[in-house]
Structure formats: structure tokens, C-alpha cells
Amino acid sequence: MKKWPFAAAAAAVPAARLVRVFSPSGLPEPAPLPESIPVPQADPPADMDLVAVPTGVNNRVAAYAYTGGSFFDKRDFYIGAALIKHPQGDLLVDSGFGRDIAKQFATMPRPFQKLTKYELWKPAVDQLEAAGYDPSRLSGILLTHAHWDHMSGIPDFPGLPVLVSGRDRAAFYNPEIFGNFRGYFRETPFNWQEFTFEGGPYLGFPRHHDVYGDGSIVCVPAPGHTPGSVIVFVTVPHQVRYALVGDLVWQREGLTRRLERPFLIRRLGDFDAEGNRQNILRMASITQRIPDMIVVPAHDQRAFAEMNQLPHVTTKGRILP
């Protein structure tokens, strides 16, 4: 059973062992993606765009995010969404914090609440409204995975389709898997729309789902952090490529230095640590082959700073770097 007795576990581990489990142990450097695997073609519409929609942060430190990170290196984990503007229908990738985050967060286990300090800036629905965005353009919320900090804002968009892998939809209702709000949140009548991976191999992944059939938004299965995690590859005009990797890693160092989450964190928070490890190496191979691809971990503000920004964005006096 997945639980988060992190404080108790840490207290029971001798200091020397804690140093070891938080010390760097980078994964081996993989070879670049073979030339025999083609870089897929994409035909993004000329008016397609990718825009950051920040909703708040979790106050963390680098040592929480990856092995070898400093306990003194404060990291405000980005909590929010990415808005894909596409003429066939705009999509939010994840939803960030919603209007009811305080009530939702109160359903989480108490140890986790004590260890997690979050700041709400403004929910996605309100950020979009303040920016003058036309909500009728939004056709769905595409989840990288079904965890609390990626789903909180969904009830603010009642009836909007929630695009999710079948394995993560099932995991959302599985009480043995940690990471979801409890109580009333699970009883919310989401408009689930499961997608399948009907396409063949894609950049070394075994299957893919091309959302609009033009190669501009492509999902691949990347189980590990959750049973049905996905990576979303987005190609905008001028062949600028992004990889929205969800919680494959929490900060870019996880990929650039191939550093996993610390042992205790991945033991408690990852559904399948070995599966996650293999997907880190797979993405590292892809970035060697396509070095200008912009990799976007869901909680790294530096990555979202490389997207376009909403006007009048609210960040409680702070801005993305």
C-alpha cells in the first residue's frame, strides 16, 4: 500500500544512511536514439501555440527532487497547466490548483499535509478569464497523470472532457495507490475520455496516440510514477519541439544529469521505480538525438519560462524566471 509516513521513516534511519540515500548516483549515460529510428514529422497549424498557465507552487528543496540536490537550494515547484492552442480545439495539459484546493488538500493524509507547503496564486480558470481567453475554445484537459496536484482544477471546468490513459483512470479510484485526493473529490462526476495508443512506435516508445492526426500533439505511455503516466510531445510552428514529461522527473536535473528522485521519495511516491528509470533513460536518449527539444518537467518553473506567457498573470509578486 502506498503511504507517506516520510517523517517517521526519516527519523528511523540513521544519519549516515540518510546521507547515502540522498547522495547522487546518476544513471548510466545511454546512447543517443539510433539513426534507424526516425524523428517523426509534424505539421502544426500556423496559429498553434503553447502557453504557461501557473496556478501556484509547492515550497520544496532540490534534495527532495533528485539525489544529490542540496537541502539549502530552495525550489518552488511549479503547479499549473500548459495551454495548447490548436484550431481543432484547445487543450489544457493538467490543471494545476483549483478554487477548492484548501478543501481538497484537507483530504490528504496528515503526514503529507505537514510535509507539503503550497501557495495558491490563482486557479487556471481565473487566470484564463483574467487574460481574456475565450473558454469556448477549450475542448479538454489532457492529464499527464492522475495525481492531486495535476487534477485539483478540473472541477472548475464542469463537463469538460478529461483525456486520460485507461490505466490512470483506474488508478484514480484505487485506494491502494497514493497521490489522489480522498473523499468527495473521487465522487466528482468527471467527464472521462480514455484514449488508447493506436499508433506504432514513436521516438523509441512502443506506441503513441496522435491527438489531432497532424503530429503536433502526441502522447506516449510512460508508466512508472503512476501506472498510466504519459509524456506529451508538442510541436509548434517552425518545428519547435517540447516534451511535457509530467512527473517523470520533478526538475530538469533529473534528465540532464540522469538523477532519480531520492531513494525514500521514489520508494514511497513512485508506483514502479524501475519503469520510471527506464523512461528517464529513454528520454535522455531522445534529447541526445534532438538536443534542441525543450523538456518540460511538470514542476520546473525554468521549463515553463520557455513557453509563451498569459497576459496579466498572477504569481503573488513573483514571476517565472
Side-chain angles (χ1 to χ4, degrees), residues 80 111 120 200 237:
L120 172 64

Side-chain angles (χ1 to χ4, degrees), residues 253-315:
E253 288 86 349
L255 276 175
T256 58
R257 296 164 57 186
R258 300 179 308 286
L259 294 171
E260 297 179 270
R261 284 178 269 273
F263 173 78
L264 287 176
I265 303 297
R266 66 176 182 267
R267 178 72 179 268
L268 296 167
D270 286 342
F271 173 78
D272 175 8
E274 176 58 30
N276 202 71
R277 182 176 302 121
Q278 294 306 312
N279 284 318
I280 290 174
L281 293 174
R282 184 176 280 130
M283 275 304 308
S285 292
I286 292 171
T287 57
Q288 288 188 59
R289 173 77 178 281
I290 313 175
D292 57 350
M293 177 177 284
I294 301 168
V295 177
V296 184
H299 300 303
D300 196 323
Q301 294 195 65
R302 297 166 297 181
F304 283 86
E306 297 191 42
M307 298 180 186
N308 285 332
Q309 308 295 311
L310 289 172
H312 313 299
V313 67
T314 298
T315 57

Side-chain angles (χ1 to χ4, degrees), residues 41 82 85 154 179:
Q41 295 297 310
K85 295 183 177 181
I154 294 178

Side-chain angles (χ1 to χ4, degrees), residues 34 47 81 90 102 121 123 173 189 199-200 210 217 224 284 300-301 317:
D47 55 350
D90 293 354
W121 291 344
Y173 294 106
D210 189 337
I217 308 170
D300 196 323
Q301 294 195 65

Side-chain angles (χ1 to χ4, degrees), residues 33-34 36-40 144 197-210 218-225 228-234 242-246 248-249 255 274-290 293 295:
L33 199 68
S36 59
I37 297 178
V39 176
T144 60
F197 302 99
E198 70 288 345
Y202 185 95
L203 286 177
F205 288 91
R207 305 182 309 282
H208 75 278
H209 169 61
D210 189 337
V218 174
C219 304
V220 298
H225 183 58
S229 292
V230 302
I231 292 171
V232 184
F233 291 98
V234 180
Y242 294 83
L244 309 184
V245 300
L248 175 68
V249 296
L255 276 175
E274 176 58 30
N276 202 71
R277 182 176 302 121
Q278 294 306 312
N279 284 318
I280 290 174
L281 293 174
R282 184 176 280 130
M283 275 304 308
S285 292
I286 292 171
T287 57
Q288 288 188 59
R289 173 77 178 281
I290 313 175
M293 177 177 284
V295 177

Side-chain angles (χ1 to χ4, degrees), residues 18 25 31 42 53 57 70 85 91 103 182 190 200 219 238-239 242 250 252 255 266 278 298 318:
L18 272 178
S25 54
V53 186
V57 291
S70 171
K85 295 183 177 181
L91 295 171
K103 185 188 301 183
R182 296 332 196 218
F190 296 131
C219 304
H238 309 295
Q239 295 299 301
Y242 294 83
W250 282 333
R252 278 180 162 173
L255 276 175
R266 66 176 182 267
Q278 294 306 312
R318 282 172 284 171

